[in-house]
Amino acid sequence: MAQGFNGKVFFVTGGNSGIGAAATRALAARGANVVFTGRRPDENARAIDAARGLEGRVLAVDADMTVERDVERALGLVDAEFGRLDGAFNNAGGGRHLGPTASLSQAAWEAELAANLGSKFLCLKHELPRLREGGVVLNMASVAGAVGFAGVAAYSAAMQGVVGLTRSVAVEYAKAGVRVNALVLGGVDTPLFRTTMGATEASAAHIAGLHAVGRVATPAEIAETVVFLLSDASSFVTGAALAVDGGLTAQ
């Protein structure tokens, strides 16, 4: 579907498991070089092993994308190893502070915004000066930023913010030839999903039933969309918040 990745360099945050790991492998399989980040060194090492033998090089950085010096250090490795940046998938995040709004602590609220919105800002701040004409950024968002769900107020607020941030930056950088889009996802069968929203058989079945197709996505399915949006095949797509949600928001 998407060609022209040979020799290109991509930065993927949260690339050690789930969607990020699947996207990293999909890009590298098509000849792209990928530097990914993750907070857990053991998971980073396993993700590197899983990417061995692919056409492109894959490197890992132990880093937390809510910490600006870690973002700078990670992108410094991109500079040192490849001397260029063609695109980024700002994927790191995920809803961890769930429950009634009145029971959320201020610390939990701020942590959720930092992980899911603040991290995107920090990455964009340091990615954009490195991108040349033809560069592209994809930010991870969620249907929780498009429709209301009980118990995820902080996460939902962050996801709304990601869409607004994406559209503003897309307009700001359009004349420079840099595209910026958001991926608005429904449920995906990732390790984080299994330990939070899909933690029980009943909750997993409930969430699957919210989707028109009656199931959640696999990380590999989402990775194919990531590849498309980071490729020249989507050259006229910018400022978009693309729903890849099995029909959840269509209902």
Side-chain angles (χ1 to χ4, degrees):
M1 176 180 66
Q3 305 299 323
F5 283 109
N6 283 339
K8 286 192 173 182
V9 178
F10 292 92
F11 181 61
V12 176
T13 70
N16 58 5
S17 68
I19 297 165
T24 292
R25 292 192 300 271
L27 289 166
R30 290 164 170 81
N33 300 308
V34 183
V35 174
F36 75 82
T37 71
R39 293 182 295 125
R40 293 173 290 276
D42 56 337
E43 290 190 12
N44 290 351
R46 285 195 292 272
I48 287 288
D49 287 341
R52 293 193 192 283
L54 298 176
E55 191 173 342
R57 289 179 64 196
V58 177
L59 304 175
V61 183
D62 303 339
D64 182 342
M65 295 297 96
T66 68
V67 179
E68 186 166 12
R69 63 179 177 274
D70 277 17
V71 176
E72 293 178 292
R73 178 168 55 82
L75 284 162
L77 178 64
V78 175
D79 297 337
E81 291 291 331
F82 301 106
R84 62 184 288 176
L85 179 66
D86 296 287
F89 177 32
N90 296 327
N91 163 71
R96 291 174 173 84
H97 299 281
L98 311 179
T101 304
S103 70
L104 280 178
S105 67
Q106 183 177 352
W109 169 265
E110 292 175 352
E112 198 79 346
L113 292 181
N116 293 291
L117 178 57
S119 64
K120 307 297 193 302
F121 159 71
L122 289 175
C123 287
L124 283 163
K125 176 181 176 180
H126 293 283
E127 291 159 357
L128 290 165
R130 291 172 162 85
L131 292 170
R132 300 169 294 180
E133 184 174 357
V136 58
V137 179
L138 180 60
N139 292 320
M140 177 63 80
S142 165
V143 293
V147 296
F149 295 98
V152 294
Y155 181 68
S156 180
M159 292 297 100
Q160 289 272 7
V162 170
V163 172
L165 174 66
T166 296
R167 287 176 169 153
S168 292
V169 176
V171 172
E172 187 176 343
Y173 279 82
K175 294 293 193 295
V178 173
R179 298 186 295 113
V180 187
N181 294 297
L183 191 59
V184 179
L185 293 188
V188 185
D189 186 18
T190 65
L192 181 60
F193 172 82
R194 293 183 213 125
T195 59
T196 54
M197 292 174 285
T200 68
E201 186 174 341
S203 62
H206 171 70
I207 291 173
L210 296 176
H211 300 73
V213 297
R215 66 175 179 87
V216 298
T218 68
E221 286 178 301
I222 304 305
E224 291 301 312
T225 304
V226 172
V227 166
F228 167 69
L229 290 171
L230 291 177
S231 78
D232 291 341
S234 61
S235 58
F236 200 58
V237 182
T238 196
L242 181 64
V244 183
D245 65 357
L248 189 154
T249 54
Q251 298 190 104

